[in-house]
Amino acid sequence: MKKAINLLIGLIISIPMFAQTTYYYSKGQRIPVILDPTRVSVLTQKTSDVNIIQRAPLNTTIVETYVSDMFNFRVIENQSYGSGLLNYMQNSVGQNNLVLPCFKTIQGEQLILSERIDVKLQNPSQITALQNAVNTLKLRMVGQDQYMPLWYMVEITPQTGMSTIEVAKLLYENVHFAEAYPNFHSVKPEISWDENVMDQWGLYNESVC
């Protein structure tokens, strides 16, 4: 277990810039996605919201908005700025907020990351590994599904330093959970994103167990 957590720390330090194509896992399969350099999601804490457009490059527009229990989501788009939009906004919005990349499926459908990750344990004793990962990666434990006790939901925080798709890959590849995949606002590999999904997971027993 300590070896896996030390490996996580090493990977955090050495994590590279996003490639044009990356992937997440669902049911043991790699699902490829393509970085959309013209869009990013800006998650500002409800207690300290900021004016996103004032902090964005010229010609930036807000194309979608969402609300979670802790964050206001704004998906912004800039067709003319180029591939540096993600870094620009990460440096612009402050340390207490999140900026996440946007992706497209191979078929061209837009994917908008949320801050949440679904995790399924191999067995009940693996909860210790999940708790260690939460502490190491500075995640927030949202809770356990009451109908499917091996399933948990965690969230990245501004202190995590990585996106949900990066963290989900680390959890699956290096801690070897049965499942670990990022939540999307639009396309979901298993279930639809909803801030009350922890109360609804029992409806999905056949599809995710």
Side-chain angles (χ1 to χ4, degrees):
M1 183 57 58
K2 290 183 179 179
K3 182 178 180 181
I5 296 302
N6 289 336
L7 180 58
L8 281 177
I9 295 172
L11 287 169
I12 293 169
I13 295 172
S14 62
I15 199 102
M17 294 282 290
F18 266 105
Q20 289 297 310
T21 302
T22 186
Y23 59 90
Y24 62 91
Y25 287 94
S26 179
K27 296 182 178 179
Q29 300 296 313
R30 286 189 180 188
I31 310 298
V33 292
I34 302 168
L35 181 68
D36 182 353
T38 68
R39 289 188 172 196
V40 299
S41 295
V42 182
L43 287 65
T44 56
Q45 297 199 37
K46 290 180 177 179
T47 54
S48 56
D49 203 7
V50 298
N51 189 317
I52 298 304
I53 293 300
Q54 287 184 355
R55 301 189 180 211
L58 290 175
N59 302 317
T60 297
T61 57
I62 297 175
V63 294
E64 300 205 40
T65 60
Y66 301 90
V67 177
S68 73
D69 55 349
M70 295 186 66
F71 293 100
N72 292 319
F73 285 72
R74 297 174 184 86
V75 181
I76 64 171
E77 182 178 80
N78 192 310
Q79 295 286 344
S80 60
Y81 190 77
S83 60
L85 183 61
L86 178 65
N87 286 338
Y88 184 102
M89 293 307 299
Q90 286 174 334
N91 293 327
S92 175
V93 299
Q95 296 181 347
N96 293 324
N97 302 302
L98 287 168
V99 179
L100 300 177
C102 290
F103 298 92
K104 293 181 180 180
T105 66
I106 298 300
Q107 294 75 28
E109 186 171 1
Q110 290 284 346
L111 294 174
I112 301 169
L113 285 172
S114 85
E115 77 275 34
R116 294 187 171 180
I117 300 168
D118 297 323
V119 179
K120 183 181 181 182
L121 309 183
Q122 298 275 7
N123 53 66
S125 65
Q126 209 177 21
I127 184 60
T128 301
L130 180 58
Q131 291 169 336
N132 288 339
V134 166
N135 293 333
T136 300
L137 299 174
K138 296 179 171 60
L139 307 175
R140 186 174 82 91
M141 180 75 80
V142 177
Q144 178 187 28
D145 177 58
Q146 60 179 322
Y147 300 104
M148 297 179 292
L150 291 179
W151 282 93
Y152 288 79
M153 185 176 286
V154 298
E155 292 181 352
I156 63 170
T157 68
Q159 291 71 44
T160 300
M162 292 184 290
S163 74
T164 41
I165 201 167
E166 294 171 297
V167 172
K169 284 195 295 184
L170 284 177
L171 294 178
Y172 186 82
E173 293 177 341
N174 296 289
V175 190
H176 307 298
F177 293 113
E179 291 278 6
Y181 52 69
N183 273 220
F184 296 102
H185 280 287
S186 45
V187 177
K188 267 294 275 104
E190 300 284 354
I191 56 178
S192 298
W193 184 90
D194 186 302
E195 65 181 86
N196 298 313
V197 73
M198 289 302 296
D199 298 326
Q200 302 170 5
W201 270 6
L203 300 174
Y204 296 91
N205 281 342
E206 294 184 359
S207 62
V208 298
C209 285

